[in-house]
Amino acid sequence: MAAAADAEAGGTVSALRPRLAALGRRLGAPGGAGDDDTFLAKGSAALDKLKDLCNEGKEPPSALLQLYTQAVLDITYFEENQLVDEDFPEESSLQKVKELICILSEPEDLVRECNINEEPINILGAELLECLYWRKGALLYMYCHTAKERSEWLRENIAIFKKCLNDGVHYLMKMLSLRCPLQLNEDVSFQDKDTARLLSEGIFSDTHLLAMMYSGEMCYWGLRHCGEGKQESLKTIDCDLGCRSQSVALDFRETGKNLLTKYVAVCEGPLKGHGWSTTTAKEMLCYFV
């Protein structure tokens, strides 16, 4: 048993080393480590700690993989903010978005690569895995938000735009499905009925609610700019790092309608008076219906 655990730990360290080196190069890139940024500093500290732990070889694989995931989230967040600040430059941002999505897919890929006989959620934990999917979905949401305003680009790249929307909605829906909604019954006692209803709807934070709105909005853009029906010819956004792309085509109308109906019901129900607007969601719902 001990030998198997040692082999698992050794395999994790071997798989981690080239990825730590790659993250280190990102920190050293122009506009990277030289900037005074909290997230870069946190990412850099996590990398240094990981290198030490890998050398010691005493930590369980789950602890190493969780720390690696945190470093990935911090370092890519800095790069993501740069893209937003630069308003997603037309000539270079798509490649950068692909790259960031591939890096954000690495922690899950690592769990599989290390032959750890557990699901990623059991190794990384629900919160970190939700963060990874949220970040991938939100990044594609922000990219598409900018791209849809570039009419000439949109005309020439409608298949790519459609694919970005499709992947973005898939990532956010995956994020929303990672934790099971609370089953309300007589054994579960809640002082606050509104909180109980939110948890029973699978809404555990503001981010879950935002994910619903973002997904619905992307479905709306898809229907409006790309037309009706499923997309049979989804153009794969290939990543040279080999991350998997979402190839299942969504029905934008049906998916968007379901997500936004739930969003409106929650905002006008248990969250009424908490500052969540439903005006835009209702306008989009009218378009879907």
Side-chain angles (χ1 to χ4, degrees):
M1 197 76 172
D6 287 347
E8 201 174 81
T12 303
V13 168
S14 300
L16 263 174
R17 287 195 194 279
R19 287 168 166 99
L20 298 185
L23 279 182
R25 287 193 292 276
R26 297 192 88 79
L27 280 172
D35 288 71
D36 179 22
D37 182 89
T38 313
F39 288 99
L40 277 188
K42 277 170 67 185
S44 182
L47 272 191
D48 290 341
K49 187 176 176 185
L50 262 172
K51 284 171 191 166
D52 291 342
L53 291 174
C54 284
N55 290 334
E56 289 166 19
K58 291 174 185 169
E59 288 292 320
S62 57
L64 296 174
L65 291 168
Q66 285 169 21
L67 192 55
Y68 169 70
T69 303
Q70 197 54 64
V72 163
L73 286 165
D74 288 335
I75 292 165
T76 53
Y77 189 64
F78 171 79
E79 296 186 43
E80 197 176 292
N81 283 338
Q82 276 187 318
L83 271 179
V84 174
D85 291 345
E86 294 162 8
D87 202 23
F88 289 92
E90 191 170 326
E91 63 291 342
S92 60
S93 60
L94 180 61
Q95 188 52 44
K96 186 74 177 171
V97 165
K98 292 180 197 175
E99 206 179 290
L100 288 175
I101 284 173
C102 286
I103 297 165
L104 288 162
S105 300
E106 287 282 291
E108 228 180 328
D109 290 342
L110 247 178
V111 174
R112 294 189 176 94
E113 193 181 304
C114 295
N115 292 322
I116 298 169
N117 218 1
E118 287 276 2
E119 284 299 310
I121 195 164
N122 297 331
I123 297 294
L124 302 176
E127 203 167 310
L128 279 176
L129 205 52
E130 279 180 350
C131 277
L132 291 168
Y133 277 102
W134 160 251
R135 288 278 305 283
K136 289 191 278 190
L139 177 59
L140 282 169
Y141 170 85
M142 291 184 290
Y143 173 72
C144 291
H145 192 286
T146 304
K148 72 180 168 54
E149 302 302 329
R150 295 173 175 158
S151 50
E152 195 178 327
W153 181 90
L154 197 60
R155 252 194 327 274
E156 292 168 8
N157 297 281
I158 196 71
I160 290 176
F161 181 67
K162 198 183 285 186
K163 185 75 179 92
C164 288
L165 290 172
N166 196 80
D167 281 14
V169 176
H170 270 294
Y171 289 136
L172 292 175
M173 287 173 71
K174 175 76 174 174
M175 178 241 170
L176 289 167
S177 71
L178 282 168
R179 280 192 255 187
C180 293
L182 180 76
Q183 298 297 314
L184 296 181
N185 55 43
E186 286 136 21
D187 301 330
V188 181
S189 170
F190 265 95
Q191 300 268 314
D192 185 346
K193 285 189 177 141
D194 287 342
T195 303
R197 181 164 163 214
L198 288 172
L199 297 177
S200 74
E201 294 278 6
I203 296 162
F204 298 92
S205 69
D206 287 1
T207 313
H208 287 79
L209 205 56
L210 267 182
M212 254 180 228
M213 182 64 193
Y214 280 10
S215 304
E217 203 166 348
M218 281 195 279
C219 288
Y220 168 74
W221 298 337
L223 199 60
R224 194 162 167 205
H225 296 288
C226 311
E228 194 63 77
K230 294 191 177 186
Q231 305 88 46
E232 284 75 22
S233 59
L234 275 179
K235 183 165 180 170
T236 304
I237 297 182
D238 291 314
C239 293
D240 49 9
L241 298 176
C243 70
R244 296 169 309 284
S245 198
Q246 309 292 320
S247 57
V248 181
L250 286 168
D251 179 337
F252 284 137
R253 185 182 294 278
E254 199 55 34
T255 307
K257 194 168 71 176
N258 292 341
L259 286 158
L260 291 177
T261 300
K262 188 170 176 180
Y263 172 84
V264 170
V266 168
C267 291
E268 294 188 346
L271 286 177
K272 192 170 176 141
H274 287 271
W276 289 90
S277 169
T278 56
T279 311
T280 308
K282 282 178 171 174
E283 285 168 7
M284 290 188 284
L285 271 173
C286 287
Y287 187 86
F288 286 132
V289 175

